[in-house]
Amino acid sequence: MSAAPLVGYSSSGSEDEAEAGARVRLGTGGCSRGQSPLPSQKLPVPDSVLDMFPGTEERPADDSAKHGGRVRTFPHERGNWATHVYVPYEAREEFLDLLEVLLPHAQTYVPRLVRMEAFHLSLSQSVVLRHHWILPFVQALKGRVASFQRTFVGLEVTSGHTQFLDLVSEVDRVMEEFDLTTFYQDPSFHISLAWCVGDARLQLEGQCLRELQEIVGEFEDSETLLRAHAEQIRCKSGNKFFSMPLK
């Protein structure tokens, strides 16, 4: 496997609600019993009552300033869990060393670029699940992907593309069973390194990407560095994580 040229692109969707915008890729008191509440106190409304009047429920404010300017692609609602299927990439020291060279260079073109906190290769879009669907959804995923074992390259994947499409096809079947959005048509597989708010493709394309690609090509043992063995698939639903080992 090898790394393809770096690409800057704009996304109208969201991977784990964390990457909207342009990115670089290579490729969350009541009172005691017997007491009367003070006039200024409010008794909590039971969930059973709130569920009877969903239109009157107050929703938490979505403050994008708390998330680096990122905005949800769908509104927060009680009982809705943002869900995302992906292959985790455990960055080694050498990979982080490369990133420490790449990112500052890219930031000379797009200063607002922010490094990703974790790295992964997406196998699905971010979708919404009701809480009672989570376990059946994960069980269905386990049944679909149990026989897959794959190796992927950091940055953009340029070989093994057919095998990843086969894996996405199985994930898509589960999505369809739950009437959820499937993955993109003719997708490219990549590990996002950094992100920023807004469309910065014009700044990233051309000279910037050529220079970044040169840095990758000249980095010591880059071909070995950009290979990694995928041992599991993960599904993140809200604050819950589920792992599915690959045989």
Side-chain angles (χ1 to χ4, degrees), residues 150-220:
R150 295 294 177 260
T151 298
F152 68 91
V153 174
L155 313 176
E156 182 179 8
V157 173
T158 57
S159 62
H161 188 82
T162 299
Q163 289 83 356
F164 274 111
L165 286 177
D166 291 341
L167 187 54
V168 167
S169 178
E170 298 300 328
V171 175
D172 278 350
R173 292 186 185 185
V174 177
M175 295 292 182
E176 291 169 347
E177 290 176 16
F178 288 80
D179 196 25
L180 298 170
T181 304
T182 56
F183 205 39
Y184 305 103
Q185 293 293 320
D186 191 24
S188 64
F189 299 101
H190 65 276
I191 298 172
S192 297
L193 303 179
W195 67 276
C196 71
V197 175
D199 188 344
R201 283 177 295 176
L202 290 178
Q203 297 100 307
L204 291 172
E205 291 174 351
Q207 182 176 351
C208 176
L209 292 179
R210 287 194 297 270
E211 293 173 356
L212 294 177
Q213 186 62 46
E214 290 177 2
I215 292 173
V216 173
E218 295 173 359
F219 202 80
E220 184 177 2

Coordinates of all heavy atoms in Angstrom, one line a residue, residues 150-220:
R150 N -8.4 -6.4 7.5 CA -7.9 -5.5 6.5 C -6.7 -4.8 7.0 O -6.5 -4.5 8.2 CB -8.9 -4.5 6.0 CG -10.1 -5.1 5.3 CD -9.7 -5.7 4.0 NE -10.8 -6.4 3.3 CZ -11.0 -7.7 3.3 NH1 -10.1 -8.5 4.0 NH2 -12.0 -8.3 2.7
T151 N -5.8 -4.3 6.1 CA -4.7 -3.4 6.4 C -5.0 -2.1 5.7 O -5.4 -2.1 4.5 CB -3.4 -4.0 5.9 OG1 -3.1 -5.3 6.6 CG2 -2.2 -3.1 6.2
F152 N -4.7 -1.0 6.4 CA -5.0 0.3 5.7 C -3.7 1.2 5.9 O -2.9 0.9 6.7 CB -6.2 1.0 6.3 CG -6.1 1.4 7.7 CD1 -5.6 2.7 8.0 CD2 -6.5 0.6 8.7 CE1 -5.5 3.1 9.3 CE2 -6.3 1.0 10.1 CZ -5.9 2.3 10.3
V153 N -3.7 2.2 5.0 CA -2.6 3.1 5.0 C -3.0 4.4 5.6 O -4.2 4.8 5.4 CB -2.1 3.3 3.6 CG1 -1.1 4.4 3.5 CG2 -1.6 2.1 3.0
G154 N -2.2 5.0 6.4 CA -2.5 6.3 6.9 C -2.6 7.3 5.8 O -2.1 7.1 4.7
L155 N -3.3 8.4 6.0 CA -3.5 9.4 5.0 C -4.6 8.8 4.0 O -5.5 8.3 4.5 CB -2.2 9.8 4.4 CG -1.1 10.1 5.3 CD1 0.2 10.5 4.6 CD2 -1.5 11.3 6.3
E156 N -4.4 8.9 2.7 CA -5.4 8.4 1.8 C -4.9 7.0 1.4 O -3.8 6.7 1.0 CB -5.5 9.3 0.6 CG -6.6 8.8 -0.4 CD -6.7 9.7 -1.6 OE1 -5.9 10.6 -1.7 OE2 -7.7 9.5 -2.4
V157 N -5.9 6.1 1.3 CA -5.7 4.7 0.9 C -5.7 4.6 -0.6 O -6.6 5.1 -1.2 CB -6.7 3.8 1.5 CG1 -6.6 2.4 1.0 CG2 -6.6 3.7 3.0
T158 N -4.6 4.1 -1.2 CA -4.6 3.9 -2.6 C -4.6 2.5 -3.1 O -4.6 2.2 -4.3 CB -3.4 4.7 -3.2 OG1 -2.2 4.1 -2.6 CG2 -3.5 6.2 -3.0
S159 N -4.5 1.5 -2.2 CA -4.6 0.1 -2.5 C -5.5 -0.5 -1.5 O -5.7 0.0 -0.4 CB -3.2 -0.6 -2.6 OG -2.6 -0.5 -1.3
G160 N -6.1 -1.7 -1.8 CA -7.0 -2.3 -1.0 C -8.4 -1.6 -1.0 O -9.3 -1.9 -0.2
H161 N -8.6 -0.8 -2.0 CA -9.8 0.0 -2.1 C -11.0 -0.9 -2.3 O -12.1 -0.7 -1.7 CB -9.8 1.0 -3.3 CG -10.9 1.9 -3.4 ND1 -11.0 3.1 -2.7 CD2 -12.1 1.9 -4.1 CE1 -12.1 3.8 -2.9 NE2 -12.8 3.0 -3.8
T162 N -10.9 -2.0 -3.1 CA -12.0 -2.9 -3.3 C -12.4 -3.6 -2.0 O -13.6 -3.8 -1.7 CB -11.6 -3.9 -4.4 OG1 -11.3 -3.3 -5.6 CG2 -12.8 -4.9 -4.6
Q163 N -11.4 -4.0 -1.2 CA -11.7 -4.6 0.0 C -12.5 -3.7 1.0 O -13.4 -4.1 1.7 CB -10.4 -5.2 0.7 CG -9.8 -6.3 0.0 CD -8.9 -5.9 -1.2 OE1 -8.9 -4.7 -1.5 NE2 -8.3 -6.9 -1.8
F164 N -12.1 -2.5 1.0 CA -12.8 -1.5 1.9 C -14.2 -1.3 1.4 O -15.2 -1.1 2.2 CB -12.1 -0.2 2.0 CG -11.0 -0.2 3.0 CD1 -9.7 -0.1 2.7 CD2 -11.3 -0.2 4.4 CE1 -8.7 -0.1 3.7 CE2 -10.4 -0.2 5.4 CZ -9.0 -0.1 5.0
L165 N -14.4 -1.3 0.1 CA -15.8 -1.2 -0.5 C -16.6 -2.3 0.0 O -17.8 -2.2 0.3 CB -15.7 -1.1 -2.0 CG -15.2 0.3 -2.6 CD1 -15.2 0.2 -4.1 CD2 -16.2 1.4 -2.1
D166 N -16.0 -3.5 0.0 CA -16.8 -4.7 0.5 C -17.2 -4.5 1.9 O -18.3 -4.9 2.3 CB -15.9 -6.0 0.4 CG -15.7 -6.4 -1.1 OD1 -16.4 -5.9 -2.0 OD2 -14.7 -7.1 -1.3
L167 N -16.3 -4.0 2.7 CA -16.6 -3.8 4.2 C -17.7 -2.7 4.3 O -18.7 -2.9 5.1 CB -15.4 -3.4 4.9 CG -15.4 -3.3 6.4 CD1 -16.0 -4.6 7.0 CD2 -14.1 -2.9 7.0
V168 N -17.6 -1.6 3.6 CA -18.6 -0.6 3.6 C -20.0 -1.2 3.2 O -21.0 -0.8 3.7 CB -18.2 0.6 2.7 CG1 -19.4 1.5 2.5 CG2 -17.1 1.4 3.4
S169 N -20.0 -2.0 2.2 CA -21.2 -2.6 1.7 C -21.9 -3.4 2.8 O -23.2 -3.3 3.0 CB -20.9 -3.6 0.6 OG -22.1 -4.3 0.1
E170 N -21.2 -4.1 3.7 CA -21.8 -4.8 4.8 C -22.4 -3.8 5.9 O -23.4 -4.0 6.4 CB -20.8 -5.7 5.5 CG -20.2 -6.8 4.6 CD -21.3 -7.7 4.1 OE1 -22.3 -7.9 4.8 OE2 -21.2 -8.2 2.9
V171 N -21.6 -2.7 6.1 CA -22.1 -1.6 7.0 C -23.4 -1.0 6.4 O -24.3 -0.7 7.2 CB -21.0 -0.6 7.3 CG1 -21.6 0.6 8.1 CG2 -19.8 -1.2 8.0
D172 N -23.4 -0.7 5.1 CA -24.5 -0.1 4.5 C -25.8 -1.0 4.6 O -26.9 -0.5 4.8 CB -24.2 0.1 3.0 CG -23.5 1.4 2.8 OD1 -23.3 2.2 3.7 OD2 -23.0 1.6 1.6
R173 N -25.6 -2.3 4.6 CA -26.7 -3.2 4.7 C -27.4 -3.1 6.1 O -28.6 -3.1 6.2 CB -26.3 -4.7 4.5 CG -25.9 -5.0 3.1 CD -25.6 -6.5 2.9 NE -25.2 -6.7 1.6 CZ -24.9 -8.0 1.1 NH1 -25.1 -9.0 1.9 NH2 -24.5 -8.2 -0.1
V174 N -26.5 -2.9 7.1 CA -27.1 -2.6 8.5 C -27.8 -1.3 8.5 O -28.9 -1.2 9.1 CB -26.0 -2.7 9.5 CG1 -26.5 -2.4 10.9 CG2 -25.3 -4.1 9.5
M175 N -27.2 -0.3 7.9 CA -27.8 1.0 7.8 C -29.2 0.9 7.2 O -30.2 1.5 7.7 CB -27.0 2.0 7.0 CG -25.6 2.3 7.7 SD -25.9 3.3 9.2 CE -24.1 3.6 9.6
E176 N -29.3 0.2 6.1 CA -30.6 0.0 5.4 C -31.6 -0.7 6.3 O -32.8 -0.4 6.2 CB -30.4 -0.7 4.1 CG -29.6 0.1 3.1 CD -29.1 -0.7 1.9 OE1 -29.2 -2.0 2.0 OE2 -28.7 -0.1 0.9
E177 N -31.2 -1.7 7.1 CA -32.1 -2.4 8.0 C -32.7 -1.5 9.0 O -33.9 -1.7 9.4 CB -31.3 -3.5 8.7 CG -30.9 -4.7 7.8 CD -30.1 -5.7 8.6 OE1 -30.1 -5.7 9.9 OE2 -29.4 -6.5 8.0
F178 N -32.0 -0.4 9.4 CA -32.5 0.5 10.3 C -33.0 1.8 9.7 O -33.2 2.8 10.3 CB -31.4 0.8 11.4 CG -31.2 -0.3 12.3 CD1 -30.3 -1.4 12.0 CD2 -31.7 -0.3 13.6 CE1 -30.1 -2.4 12.9 CE2 -31.5 -1.4 14.5 CZ -30.7 -2.4 14.1
D179 N -33.1 1.8 8.4 CA -33.6 2.9 7.6 C -32.7 4.2 7.8 O -33.2 5.3 8.1 CB -35.1 3.2 7.9 CG -35.7 4.1 6.9 OD1 -35.3 4.1 5.7 OD2 -36.7 4.8 7.2
L180 N -31.4 4.0 7.8 CA -30.5 5.0 8.0 C -29.7 5.3 6.7 O -29.7 4.5 5.8 CB -29.5 4.7 9.1 CG -30.1 4.4 10.5 CD1 -29.1 3.8 11.5 CD2 -30.6 5.7 11.1
T181 N -29.0 6.5 6.7 CA -28.3 6.9 5.6 C -27.1 6.0 5.4 O -26.3 5.8 6.3 CB -27.8 8.4 5.7 OG1 -29.0 9.2 6.0 CG2 -27.1 8.8 4.5
T182 N -26.9 5.5 4.2 CA -25.7 4.7 3.8 C -24.5 5.6 3.6 O -24.6 6.9 3.6 CB -26.0 3.8 2.6 OG1 -26.4 4.6 1.5 CG2 -27.1 2.8 3.0
F183 N -23.4 5.0 3.3 CA -22.1 5.7 3.1 C -22.2 6.4 1.7 O -23.1 6.2 0.9 CB -20.9 4.8 3.2 CG -19.6 5.5 3.5 CD1 -19.6 6.5 4.5 CD2 -18.4 5.1 3.0 CE1 -18.4 7.1 4.8 CE2 -17.2 5.6 3.3 CZ -17.2 6.7 4.2
Y184 N -21.1 7.2 1.4 CA -21.1 8.0 0.2 C -20.9 7.0 -1.0 O -20.3 6.0 -0.9 CB -19.9 9.0 0.2 CG -20.0 9.9 1.4 CD1 -19.1 9.7 2.5 CD2 -20.9 10.9 1.4 CE1 -19.2 10.6 3.6 CE2 -20.9 11.8 2.5 CZ -20.1 11.6 3.6 OH -20.1 12.4 4.6
Q185 N -21.4 7.4 -2.2 CA -21.2 6.7 -3.4 C -19.8 7.0 -3.9 O -19.2 8.1 -3.8 CB -22.1 7.2 -4.5 CG -23.6 6.9 -4.2 CD -23.9 5.4 -4.3 OE1 -23.3 4.7 -5.2 NE2 -24.7 4.9 -3.4
D186 N -19.1 5.9 -4.3 CA -17.7 6.0 -4.8 C -16.8 6.7 -3.8 O -16.2 7.7 -4.1 CB -17.7 6.7 -6.1 CG -16.3 6.6 -6.8 OD1 -15.6 5.6 -6.5 OD2 -16.0 7.4 -7.6
P187 N -16.8 6.2 -2.6 CA -16.0 6.9 -1.5 C -14.5 6.8 -1.7 O -14.0 5.9 -2.3 CB -16.5 6.3 -0.2 CG -16.7 4.9 -0.7 CD -17.3 5.0 -2.1
S188 N -13.8 7.7 -1.1 CA -12.3 7.5 -0.9 C -12.1 7.3 0.6 O -12.9 7.8 1.4 CB -11.6 8.8 -1.3 OG -11.9 9.9 -0.5
F189 N -11.1 6.5 0.9 CA -10.9 6.2 2.3 C -9.6 6.9 2.8 O -8.6 6.9 2.1 CB -10.7 4.7 2.4 CG -11.9 3.9 2.0 CD1 -12.0 3.3 0.8 CD2 -13.1 3.8 2.8 CE1 -13.1 2.6 0.3 CE2 -14.2 3.2 2.4 CZ -14.2 2.6 1.2
H190 N -9.7 7.5 3.9 CA -8.7 8.4 4.4 C -8.7 8.5 5.9 O -9.6 8.1 6.6 CB -8.8 9.8 3.8 CG -10.0 10.5 4.2 ND1 -11.3 10.3 3.6 CD2 -10.3 11.4 5.2 CE1 -12.2 11.0 4.3 NE2 -11.6 11.7 5.2
I191 N -7.6 9.0 6.5 CA -7.5 9.4 7.9 C -7.3 10.9 7.9 O -6.3 11.4 7.4 CB -6.3 8.7 8.6 CG1 -6.5 7.2 8.5 CG2 -6.2 9.2 10.0 CD1 -5.3 6.4 9.0
S192 N -8.3 11.6 8.5 CA -8.2 13.0 8.6 C -7.1 13.4 9.6 O -7.0 12.8 10.7 CB -9.5 13.6 9.0 OG -10.5 13.3 8.1
L193 N -6.3 14.4 9.2 CA -5.2 14.8 10.1 C -5.5 16.1 10.8 O -5.1 16.4 11.9 CB -3.9 15.0 9.3 CG -3.4 13.8 8.5 CD1 -2.2 14.2 7.7 CD2 -3.2 12.6 9.4
A194 N -6.3 17.0 10.1 CA -6.6 18.3 10.7 C -7.9 18.8 10.1 O -8.4 18.2 9.1 CB -5.5 19.3 10.4
W195 N -8.5 19.8 10.7 CA -9.8 20.3 10.2 C -9.9 21.8 10.5 O -9.1 22.3 11.2 CB -11.0 19.6 10.9 CG -11.1 19.9 12.3 CD1 -10.4 19.3 13.4 CD2 -11.8 21.0 12.9 NE1 -10.7 19.9 14.6 CE2 -11.6 20.9 14.3 CE3 -12.7 21.9 12.4 CZ2 -12.2 21.8 15.2 CZ3 -13.3 22.8 13.3 CH2 -13.1 22.7 14.7
C196 N -10.8 22.4 9.8 CA -11.1 23.8 10.1 C -12.5 24.1 9.6 O -13.1 23.4 8.9 CB -10.1 24.7 9.3 SG -10.3 24.8 7.5
V197 N -13.0 25.2 10.1 CA -14.4 25.6 9.8 C -14.3 26.3 8.4 O -13.4 27.1 8.1 CB -14.9 26.6 10.8 CG1 -16.3 27.1 10.4 CG2 -15.1 25.9 12.2
G198 N -15.3 26.0 7.6 CA -15.4 26.6 6.3 C -14.6 25.9 5.2 O -14.0 24.9 5.4
D199 N -14.8 26.3 3.9 CA -14.2 25.7 2.8 C -12.9 26.3 2.5 O -12.8 27.5 2.1 CB -15.2 25.8 1.6 CG -14.7 25.0 0.4 OD1 -13.6 24.6 0.4 OD2 -15.5 24.8 -0.5
A200 N -11.8 25.6 2.7 CA -10.4 26.1 2.5 C -9.7 25.4 1.3 O -8.5 25.3 1.2 CB -9.6 26.0 3.8
R201 N -10.5 24.8 0.4 CA -9.9 24.0 -0.7 C -9.0 24.9 -1.5 O -7.9 24.4 -1.9 CB -11.0 23.4 -1.5 CG -11.6 22.1 -0.9 CD -12.7 21.6 -1.7 NE -13.8 22.5 -1.8 CZ -14.9 22.3 -2.6 NH1 -15.0 21.2 -3.3 NH2 -15.9 23.2 -2.6
L202 N -9.4 26.1 -1.8 CA -8.6 26.9 -2.7 C -7.2 27.2 -2.1 O -6.2 27.2 -2.8 CB -9.3 28.2 -3.0 CG -10.6 28.1 -3.8 CD1 -11.2 29.5 -4.0 CD2 -10.2 27.6 -5.2
Q203 N -7.2 27.4 -0.8 CA -5.9 27.6 -0.1 C -5.0 26.3 -0.1 O -3.8 26.4 -0.1 CB -6.1 28.1 1.3 CG -6.8 29.5 1.4 CD -8.2 29.3 1.7 OE1 -9.0 28.6 1.1 NE2 -8.7 30.0 2.8
L204 N -5.7 25.2 0.1 CA -5.0 23.9 0.2 C -4.5 23.3 -1.1 O -3.4 22.7 -1.1 CB -5.8 22.9 1.0 CG -6.1 23.3 2.5 CD1 -7.1 22.3 3.0 CD2 -4.8 23.2 3.3
E205 N -5.3 23.4 -2.1 CA -5.0 22.8 -3.4 C -3.8 23.5 -4.0 O -3.5 24.6 -3.7 CB -6.2 22.8 -4.3 CG -7.3 21.9 -3.8 CD -8.6 22.0 -4.6 OE1 -8.7 22.9 -5.5 OE2 -9.5 21.1 -4.4
G206 N -3.2 22.8 -4.9 CA -2.1 23.4 -5.7 C -0.8 23.3 -4.9 O -0.4 22.2 -4.5
Q207 N -0.1 24.5 -4.8 CA 1.2 24.5 -4.2 C 1.3 23.9 -2.8 O 2.2 23.2 -2.5 CB 1.7 25.9 -4.2 CG 3.1 26.1 -3.7 CD 3.7 27.5 -3.8 OE1 3.1 28.3 -4.4 NE2 4.8 27.7 -3.2
C208 N 0.3 24.3 -2.0 CA 0.3 23.8 -0.6 C 0.3 22.2 -0.5 O 1.2 21.7 0.1 CB -0.9 24.3 0.2 SG -1.1 23.6 1.9
L209 N -0.5 21.6 -1.3 CA -0.6 20.1 -1.3 C 0.6 19.5 -1.9 O 1.1 18.5 -1.5 CB -1.9 19.7 -2.0 CG -3.2 20.0 -1.3 CD1 -4.4 19.5 -2.1 CD2 -3.2 19.4 0.1
R210 N 1.2 20.2 -2.9 CA 2.4 19.6 -3.5 C 3.5 19.7 -2.5 O 4.3 18.7 -2.4 CB 2.8 20.4 -4.8 CG 1.8 20.2 -6.0 CD 2.5 20.7 -7.3 NE 2.6 22.2 -7.2 CZ 1.6 23.0 -7.6 NH1 0.5 22.6 -8.1 NH2 1.8 24.3 -7.5
E211 N 3.6 20.7 -1.8 CA 4.7 20.9 -0.8 C 4.5 19.9 0.4 O 5.5 19.3 0.9 CB 4.7 22.3 -0.2 CG 5.2 23.3 -1.2 CD 5.0 24.8 -0.7 OE1 4.5 24.9 0.4 OE2 5.4 25.7 -1.5
L212 N 3.2 19.7 0.8 CA 3.0 18.7 1.8 C 3.3 17.3 1.3 O 3.9 16.5 2.1 CB 1.5 18.8 2.3 CG 1.1 20.0 3.0 CD1 -0.4 20.0 3.3 CD2 1.9 20.3 4.2
Q213 N 3.0 17.0 0.1 CA 3.3 15.7 -0.5 C 4.8 15.4 -0.5 O 5.3 14.3 -0.3 CB 2.7 15.5 -1.9 CG 2.8 14.1 -2.4 CD 2.1 13.1 -1.6 OE1 1.0 13.3 -1.2 NE2 2.8 12.0 -1.3
E214 N 5.5 16.5 -0.8 CA 7.0 16.4 -0.8 C 7.5 16.0 0.6 O 8.5 15.2 0.7 CB 7.6 17.7 -1.4 CG 7.4 17.9 -2.9 CD 8.0 19.2 -3.3 OE1 8.6 19.9 -2.5 OE2 7.8 19.6 -4.5
I215 N 6.9 16.7 1.6 CA 7.3 16.4 2.9 C 7.1 14.9 3.3 O 8.0 14.3 3.9 CB 6.6 17.3 3.9 CG1 7.0 18.8 3.8 CG2 6.8 16.9 5.4 CD1 6.2 19.8 4.6
V216 N 5.9 14.4 2.9 CA 5.7 13.0 3.1 C 6.6 12.1 2.4 O 7.2 11.1 3.0 CB 4.2 12.7 2.7 CG1 3.9 11.2 2.8 CG2 3.2 13.4 3.6
G217 N 6.9 12.4 1.1 CA 7.8 11.6 0.3 C 9.2 11.6 0.9 O 9.9 10.6 0.7
E218 N 9.6 12.7 1.4 CA 11.0 12.8 1.9 C 11.2 12.3 3.4 O 12.3 12.2 3.9 CB 11.5 14.2 1.8 CG 11.6 14.7 0.3 CD 11.9 16.2 0.2 OE1 12.0 16.8 1.3 OE2 12.0 16.7 -0.9
F219 N 10.0 12.1 4.1 CA 10.1 11.7 5.5 C 10.7 10.3 5.6 O 10.3 9.4 4.8 CB 8.7 11.7 6.1 CG 8.7 11.8 7.6 CD1 8.9 13.1 8.2 CD2 8.6 10.7 8.4 CE1 8.9 13.2 9.6 CE2 8.6 10.8 9.8 CZ 8.8 12.1 10.4
E220 N 11.6 10.1 6.5 CA 12.3 8.8 6.6 C 11.3 7.7 6.9 O 10.5 7.7 7.7 CB 13.3 8.9 7.8 CG 14.1 7.6 7.9 CD 15.2 7.8 9.1 OE1 15.2 8.8 9.7 OE2 15.9 6.8 9.3

